[in-house]
Amino acid sequence: MSDTIFSKIIRREIPADIVYENDEVLAFRDLNPQAPVHVLFVPKRALATLNEATDADAALLGRLLLATAEYAKREGFAEQGYRTVINCNEDGGQTVFHLHVHLLAGRRLHWPPG
């Protein structure tokens, strides 16, 4: 996998507004927010896309989603509601090829998303 902007953020080589971190996950505010709250949750161990995940990654993927829920609860918008999104490959809207979860909140989100 190539060295992505997310890998550089994880290594603190470029700045980011980091809002959450544990041993396996780092989260930071999106530079081009699509909602009042738009945070990206990335595993510190890189996978390019969800397609590369295997059974061995199941626990990491679960912890990635649990981190988003923990953050939503901590920040006080879990009960009001939020959306999590994983884009996969170009037609799915993925632009950085390091698996990540978008957490969107702070306004009513419509369906379909676009």
Side-chain angles (χ1 to χ4, degrees):
M1 186 168 93
S2 66
D3 196 30
T4 68
I5 189 170
F6 293 171
S7 298
K8 292 175 183 175
I9 289 171
I10 291 165
R11 292 192 307 265
R12 307 303 204 272
E13 293 173 2
I14 60 174
D17 185 2
I18 296 170
V19 297
Y20 178 94
E21 184 173 13
N22 66 28
D23 290 343
E24 295 179 289
V25 175
L26 184 76
F28 47 91
R29 295 188 196 284
D30 194 296
L31 290 177
N32 185 27
Q34 302 301 303
V37 176
H38 188 168
V39 176
L40 303 177
F41 286 76
V42 301
K44 291 181 178 178
R45 184 174 55 79
L47 293 166
T49 73
L50 188 56
N51 289 341
E52 269 105 49
T54 67
D55 288 345
D57 299 308
L60 175 62
L61 295 173
R63 286 191 285 280
L64 189 61
L65 290 176
L66 289 172
T68 64
E70 180 183 332
Y71 179 78
K73 292 171 190 171
R74 184 184 81 196
E75 295 300 307
F77 56 81
E79 292 300 318
Q80 187 69 24
Y82 59 96
R83 179 174 294 161
T84 58
V85 176
I86 298 174
N87 299 321
C88 188
N89 284 325
E90 290 180 32
D91 281 357
Q94 187 175 8
T95 58
V96 177
F97 288 86
H98 182 131
L99 177 72
H100 55 286
V101 176
H102 295 258
L103 183 146
L104 302 151
R107 68 170 169 82
R108 181 171 290 278
L109 300 168
H110 302 283
W111 196 262

